[in-house]
Amino acid sequence: MTVPPLPRAERLDRLPFTREHGRLVVGSGLGWALDAMDVGLISFVMAALAVQWQLSPTELSWIGSIGFVGMALGATLGGLLADRYGRRQVFATTLLIFGLATGAAALSWSVGALLVFRFLIGLGLGAELPVASTLVSEFAPARVRGRVVVLLEAFWAVGWTLSALIGYFVVPRSDDGWRWALAIGALPALYAVVVRRGLPESVRYLEARGRVEEAEAAVRRFERAAGVAAVESPLPRPVHSPGPRALWAVGSRLRTASLWIVWFSVNFAYYGAFIWLPTLLVAQGFSLVRSFGFTLVITLAQLPGYAVAAFLIEKWGRRPTLAVFLVGSAAGAGMFAQADGEATVLVTGMVLSFFNLGAWGALYAVTPEVYPTVLRATGAGAAAGFGRLASIAAPLCVPPLLDAGGTGLVFGTFAAFFLLGALATWGLPERRGRALDDEPPAAEDLVSAAGREHDQGA
């Protein structure tokens, strides 16, 4: 019996989760964890420098925010470059950039020097995250794709926990503790070499670029791991990228606006809270070591948050899971705003951490599913880049909010942003169990029209 030809994307979607999928998730996830470790370290560095360098709240705010300026630019450029030059290439390059910049930051001799290095770190980090999630989503079987991407995002909690451990055991031990912490953060520069050699390139990207033999080799690598016989695939239909303006065309406008609002809301509340958390605890009377210990325990609550989100995202779907976790985050922020004792600070902080990071997992799962292959990395990068504008603003907003109404107003504001994000989720598509390239007609028409225009122009 002759097996009918199957497109390579369908061949990937029909596979079980194999050791090759596991290698891809772990390989990408280790880079993700190193990213999180770097972002998390700055909150502990800020708390240490506030004491050691006698920095003002404004100077601390800029140290917290400048990296996100780089991330906003990096996310947007990274998505565009990944659709042009490939997911794996951009992923490895960005790891190298922010790893080297983190090592250089350990040598900072002034606030100005630290700000420059933090900007370069953010440039590499911002480009890496949406590219990694796009690469993993394009290999994951459709029936478990959301769960696999949430698993990838869970490496963020691993990295943030590492940063909390480094913050607790390294930063307070000497005046140069923060320098040693940043030196450890240079590990991504070494890992970039491993990524470049070990991870596969996206099959969908290779086909879109006419690199059919490489795409076939990548699919067969995963089929061999599953013990599935290879079948012939038809030649892919050439598709031309319509460019970033297509994100705001009629068929994509609502989903793009909704996605950007969710990204902005989650970034504002998350980074405003967690970048300042150790410093806020010190300001409330906790010692530096004790505040770092509290932050470590609160950070550990991220892991079960990811686990529950990974289960629910294939049970409930992307949109309801994301909305529920954002509402839970709002409740956690509201309770933390009223916390007045050690026990309540710890418990409400853990509630906030649990729901907030579960929401992040769901958001990264839904984002690559919103756009077709030729726009996927561009759309994910643009949404992440817009969200980073909020992560720039949030640390800068904390000091005036503290002056106006204390910790209660700060976390009440974060709760409001979480609720705004929850409302915006209802403009997102629900694609649980569906193939990535199974796009709504409006999006397909958009890409096809762009291709016709390109052919006519030629």
Side-chain angles (χ1 to χ4, degrees):
M1 179 179 176
T2 303
V3 179
L6 284 175
R8 292 180 184 85
E10 288 188 28
R11 289 163 60 187
L12 287 173
D13 275 339
R14 70 174 184 158
L15 295 178
F17 189 87
T18 69
R19 65 178 182 276
E20 287 295 334
H21 292 101
R23 288 174 181 169
L24 175 61
V25 172
V26 172
S28 302
L30 288 175
W32 201 289
L34 291 169
D35 293 353
M37 185 180 74
D38 180 88
V39 176
L41 280 175
I42 197 59
S43 65
F44 300 98
V45 170
M46 284 170 57
L49 290 182
V51 176
Q52 188 180 138
W53 285 5
Q54 297 294 303
L55 300 183
S56 68
T58 300
E59 288 173 315
L60 288 173
S61 295
W62 275 110
I63 291 173
S65 290
I66 193 66
F68 299 116
V69 177
M71 289 177 75
L73 181 61
T76 304
L77 291 177
L80 290 169
L81 292 173
D83 277 336
R84 184 174 180 85
Y85 297 108
R87 285 58 161 137
R88 182 182 63 179
Q89 180 78 2
V90 174
F91 182 39
T93 302
T94 56
L95 280 170
L96 182 64
I97 290 171
F98 92 80
L100 293 175
T102 301
L107 304 175
S108 296
W109 55 91
S110 66
V111 173
L114 183 58
L115 291 176
V116 170
F117 291 132
R118 288 302 304 172
F119 173 80
L120 295 175
I121 291 166
L123 196 65
L125 175 60
E128 188 270 322
L129 296 176
V131 173
S133 62
T134 297
L135 177 62
V136 170
S137 70
E138 289 180 332
F139 273 103
R143 63 187 175 279
V144 294
R145 185 174 57 243
R147 188 165 294 161
V148 170
V149 176
V150 175
L151 178 61
L152 169 68
E153 232 287 293
F155 279 86
W156 184 270
V158 175
W160 203 280
T161 301
L162 287 174
S163 75
L165 289 169
I166 294 169
Y168 184 75
F169 289 108
V170 177
V171 174
R173 302 308 171 189
S174 70
D175 287 346
D176 289 331
W178 64 272
R179 296 184 187 275
W180 286 110
L182 290 178
I184 294 171
L187 291 175
L190 300 176
Y191 185 62
V193 179
V194 179
V195 168
R196 184 66 184 86
R197 293 176 61 87
L199 295 184
E201 182 55 272
S202 163
V203 171
R204 289 173 169 88
Y205 165 78
L206 292 171
E207 286 193 332
R209 290 290 164 180
R211 294 158 61 179
V212 177
E213 291 183 2
E214 293 176 69
E216 180 64 25
V219 174
R220 293 196 178 194
R221 171 177 168 180
F222 280 76
E223 287 176 332
R224 284 195 300 272
V228 173
V231 299
E232 183 182 355
S233 288
L235 289 175
R237 178 175 61 89
V239 179
H240 304 285
S241 174
R245 287 184 299 177
L247 301 176
W248 293 99
V250 174
S252 301
R253 194 173 298 158
L254 174 62
R255 69 182 69 179
T256 296
S258 300
L259 191 63
W260 284 28
I261 291 171
V262 178
W263 269 92
F264 190 92
S265 301
V266 174
N267 270 275
F268 188 93
Y270 174 76
Y271 286 108
F274 284 92
I275 289 295
W276 272 94
L277 185 58
T279 305
L280 291 175
L281 291 175
V282 169
Q284 290 180 13
F286 295 95
S287 69
L288 193 65
V289 174
R290 191 162 182 77
S291 72
F292 286 4
F294 269 47
T295 303
L296 173 59
V297 175
I298 290 171
T299 300
L300 290 173
Q302 297 178 8
L303 290 168
Y306 282 123
V308 174
F311 172 76
L312 293 177
I313 204 154
E314 300 296 357
K315 189 79 171 177
W316 289 356
R318 283 75 162 126
R319 196 165 52 194
T321 300
L322 178 56
V324 167
F325 273 82
L326 285 172
V327 171
S329 299
M335 290 188 294
F336 192 87
Q338 304 301 317
D340 56 1
E342 288 192 6
T344 53
V345 166
L346 199 58
V347 171
T348 58
M350 292 174 69
V351 170
L352 173 60
S353 187
F354 173 91
F355 281 105
N356 195 182
L357 276 297
W360 269 116
L363 180 57
Y364 269 105
V366 74
T367 299
E369 299 179 343
V370 171
Y371 302 106
T373 297
V374 290
L375 275 176
R376 184 164 297 120
T378 297
F386 184 74
R388 298 307 176 191
L389 298 178
S391 57
I392 297 167
L396 295 172
C397 289
V398 169
L401 287 172
L402 280 172
D403 291 340
T407 305
L409 179 60
V410 171
F411 282 87
T413 302
F414 297 153
F417 272 92
F418 281 130
L419 290 176
L420 174 63
L423 290 173
T425 61
W426 299 105
L428 299 175
E430 177 55 65
R431 303 188 60 79
R432 179 179 55 149
R434 296 172 62 186
L436 277 176
D437 290 329
D438 184 19
E439 293 295 322
E444 288 187 349
D445 291 344
L446 175 66
V447 175
S448 299
R452 288 196 298 271
E453 291 173 4
H454 183 279
D455 292 340
Q456 290 169 0

